[in-house]
Amino acid sequence: MKRVLPLVLLSVATVFGGVVQGIILESYSGLPLARTVVRLQPIPQSSGAALQVLQTRANRTGGFLFADVTPGIYLVIATRDGYFPAAFGQRRPDGQGTPVEITKDSALVSEIRMRRKGAITGRVLDENGVGLAGVPVVAYHARLPLRSAGRGIADDRGVYRIPFLDPGKYWIRSAAHILEDGSGLLPTFGRESYETRQSIVHTARIDAETPDADVRPFPGNLFSLSGIVSCPAGDATITLSSETGRKSTQAGCGTSYQFQALAPGDYEVFGTTSGGLAGFMEISLSRNTNSGTIDLRSAPRVDVESGQPGVRARDRVNIPVKLIGRRHDLSDIEELRELTLPDRLLPGNWEMTARVGPNQFVESIVNQGGGRRRERPDKSPDAFEVFISPQDYARLRVNVSEQAAHIAGTVVTRDKNPVAGAPVFLWPVTPEARRSLGGVKQTLSDTSGGYRFDSLPPGDYRLLATFDATFIDEELIEAAQAMAIRVELGKTLMIELPLWIAP
């Protein structure tokens, strides 16, 4: 550190605000991490005034500098691909940083050590325990519905490694594969199971590898899927998705496409052209089939209306909402984005939530035009599922209640002192509330320790304030004895929330 820090320290005689400077190091090796993104994030002010978020990159020696910083309370956060976020004052590897007050005379010097994300390693084995090369392997978050978190492929010894995993619990599954004699391997959960309920759960930890996540795939027949691409002219991209991955191929309009080495199960076929045509179909595969003809047409025009449920159409008043959504298939999921409707959306399965006013909450989001789709046993816990049919038009209905509940209060220490910048987590207990809110909610207490959650549907919640976690799940909720509360329709609940410190 003595060798590097002098390259960071600069004269501050001519600046009028505070100075925050330091160095970013890799925790394991102690080496500087050049080009790491460093963010100076202000804590919300109780007055409502907003300070600017500042961002820079570490230089070649890992050093960073923020000069002339407006006085306030800030978090100093470092982010880098492949590493878990780190921050000044971070007490636990998977926790969050503690805020620091910057005045016009401050000259904070900090050292932030970053840890790599977790990895899971193991072997893909044949019936005799010998390693199999070239078999794809998928890691899923150990919860339903299945969401892939990472992928790997077995090397010449059958060894695979799946990196860049956030801390948490995972299932491991091999994908379909053809062996050298032409026989097939079926998708199999580790160590040897068709179903998640019999699969081994592996825990990924920061800066560590979780070993021995072996998989022994079941043998079985693999099939092919083919069909005609129906469109006026040009070339199309046809994408086939399943729970174990995606495959894509190119085909001309009026010609056929084909996918081989497919395990029995459910698939989605999605087609697009450069001219904006799109098509979608779902199919269950149990044999070789050539019935996968897909019709590509203009993407459906989607409109939206919003209002209180149970109101007659002639009496409806459209309530302003911001619709948030992402298209997802069986293999992967897009990033959430704001949907500006009316517009044309690609056909297929979507997850949607909506942002409404502080005194409102979302009861449901439905496609009034319907559209037939295969029923899925496991619905998303954090969003409303909406199917956009390949037909020409769809109309979404966002049902909004104007009797939202609220939770507000102050985060305090054991001595009843307010805590600024504390992460506060709100865990909805019921799936309906989670979908309404778009999942678990998080906020930061302001400079006076105050926090607030608006737009809440009535029901049961768990509430936790802690610097010692970045994500929360059922296990942490119970370990921390998170406060159990119930909110009523249209009511505001005031709660003094004690700061939890992990043992």
Side-chain angles (χ1 to χ4, degrees):
M1 184 173 174
K2 290 182 179 179
R3 178 177 63 85
V4 182
L5 268 182
L7 300 177
V8 184
L9 299 175
L10 301 176
S11 172
V12 296
T14 59
V15 300
F16 301 97
V19 173
V20 177
Q21 55 192 319
I23 186 170
I24 309 297
L25 303 174
E26 186 180 59
S27 179
Y28 179 77
S29 66
L31 297 174
L33 288 175
R35 296 170 293 280
T36 299
V37 174
V38 187
R39 188 172 76 253
L40 203 58
Q41 179 176 315
I43 299 302
Q45 301 206 54
S46 54
S47 65
L51 296 179
Q52 183 180 2
V53 177
L54 303 177
Q55 183 170 298
T56 188
R57 283 187 182 271
N59 61 25
R60 297 184 65 181
T61 60
F64 68 91
L65 170 70
F66 295 98
D68 201 14
V69 177
T70 302
I73 301 178
Y74 294 85
L75 294 169
V76 187
I77 302 171
T79 57
R80 182 183 178 90
D81 288 344
Y83 288 77
F84 196 75
F88 176 78
Q90 190 171 355
R91 196 174 73 92
R92 290 163 53 98
D94 57 348
Q96 303 189 45
T98 54
V100 59
E101 184 174 8
I102 304 298
T103 68
K104 64 181 182 63
D105 299 319
S106 295
L108 175 68
V109 179
S110 65
E111 176 185 284
I112 298 177
R113 290 182 172 261
M114 301 195 71
R115 296 171 170 84
R116 290 185 178 272
K117 291 190 173 184
I120 294 178
T121 63
R123 297 176 298 162
V124 182
L125 305 173
D126 70 5
E127 62 269 36
N128 300 312
V130 177
L132 290 168
V135 180
V137 183
V138 185
Y140 303 94
H141 296 285
R143 59 178 180 268
L144 297 175
L146 287 178
R147 291 283 188 265
S148 64
R151 301 176 186 274
I153 191 165
D155 65 13
D156 60 307
R157 300 165 300 160
V159 177
Y160 73 88
R161 184 177 186 272
I162 302 177
F164 309 139
L165 297 177
D166 288 326
K169 297 180 179 180
Y170 296 87
W171 290 313
I172 298 298
R173 189 188 201 185
S174 63
H177 183 70
I178 294 181
L179 297 172
E180 57 266 38
D181 63 356
S183 62
L185 296 177
L186 300 178
T188 305
F189 288 98
R191 176 176 249 272
E192 197 170 2
S193 171
Y194 284 122
E195 299 182 357
T196 58
R197 62 183 178 181
Q198 297 174 333
S199 175
I200 297 174
V201 176
H202 302 277
T203 301
R205 296 180 173 86
I206 296 173
D207 228 0
E209 292 201 358
T210 302
D212 303 325
D214 296 346
V215 186
R216 191 188 297 265
F218 291 111
N221 294 325
L222 302 180
F223 305 114
S224 66
L225 169 66
S226 61
I228 302 298
V229 180
S230 176
C231 51
D235 293 327
T237 299
I238 308 300
T239 301
L240 181 75
S241 70
S242 70
E243 290 178 345
T244 56
R246 284 176 173 173
K247 297 181 178 182
S248 292
T249 188
Q250 300 292 126
C253 290
T255 67
S256 63
Y257 71 90
Q258 185 177 61
F259 294 100
Q260 296 180 327
L262 304 179
D266 295 332
Y267 291 85
E268 294 179 357
V269 184
F270 178 62
T272 58
T273 70
S274 59
L277 303 182
F280 175 84
M281 64 176 295
E282 297 173 308
I283 189 168
S284 292
L285 198 64
S286 58
R287 56 183 174 83
N288 294 329
T289 180
N290 59 3
S291 61
T293 295
I294 183 168
D295 184 20
L296 306 188
R297 59 178 70 184
S298 295
R301 182 179 183 274
V302 181
D303 204 349
V304 63
E305 65 177 30
S306 55
Q308 297 183 59
V311 178
R312 293 179 301 177
R314 65 183 183 183
D315 298 327
R316 287 175 184 167
V317 176
N318 213 44
I319 297 175
V321 301
K322 288 186 178 180
L323 196 63
I324 310 298
R326 56 188 174 190
R327 187 183 179 278
H328 72 90
D329 59 30
L330 291 172
S331 171
D332 216 337
I333 196 165
E334 299 176 349
E335 293 295 321
L336 283 170
R337 61 185 176 91
E338 185 174 342
L339 306 177
T340 304
L341 300 180
D343 197 0
R344 294 191 178 273
L345 297 181
L346 294 176
N349 297 301
W350 286 73
E351 293 182 353
M352 294 186 182
T353 62
R355 295 173 185 164
V356 292
N359 296 315
Q360 303 164 337
F361 70 89
V362 179
E363 291 193 0
S364 63
I365 302 176
V366 296
N367 184 353
Q368 296 186 119
R372 298 182 61 85
R373 56 164 293 182
R374 183 173 60 243
E375 190 65 28
R376 295 186 177 186
D378 304 308
K379 295 184 177 180
S380 169
D382 297 332
F384 297 101
E385 293 195 346
V386 177
F387 178 64
I388 303 297
S389 168
Q391 303 304 317
D392 295 332
Y393 179 74
R395 188 172 187 84
L396 305 185
R397 169 73 180 178
V398 183
N399 289 314
V400 179
S401 170
E402 295 194 313
Q403 298 186 66
H406 312 267
I407 299 173
T410 304
V411 180
V412 297
T413 65
R414 186 176 300 177
D415 299 328
K416 303 295 184 180
N417 295 317
V419 182
V424 184
F425 299 92
L426 182 68
W427 177 277
V429 174
T430 64
E432 293 78 12
R434 285 180 68 107
R435 293 187 186 106
S436 176
L437 294 174
V440 177
K441 305 304 290 183
Q442 181 181 352
T443 189
L444 289 178
S445 61
D446 63 26
T447 51
S448 296
Y451 70 92
R452 185 178 180 88
F453 293 101
D454 295 313
S455 301
L456 304 180
D460 295 321
Y461 295 85
R462 304 293 294 271
L463 194 59
L464 178 67
T466 183
F467 288 106
D468 292 336
T470 301
F471 312 108
I472 64 170
D473 55 20
E474 292 92 339
E475 187 175 327
L476 179 62
I477 285 289
E478 295 306 322
Q481 298 182 336
M483 185 179 295
I485 57 176
R486 172 173 290 182
V487 296
E488 299 179 2
L489 199 66
K491 303 293 185 180
T492 298
L493 195 60
M494 301 298 297
I495 295 178
E496 185 177 80
L497 186 61
L499 182 71
W500 180 70
I501 300 175

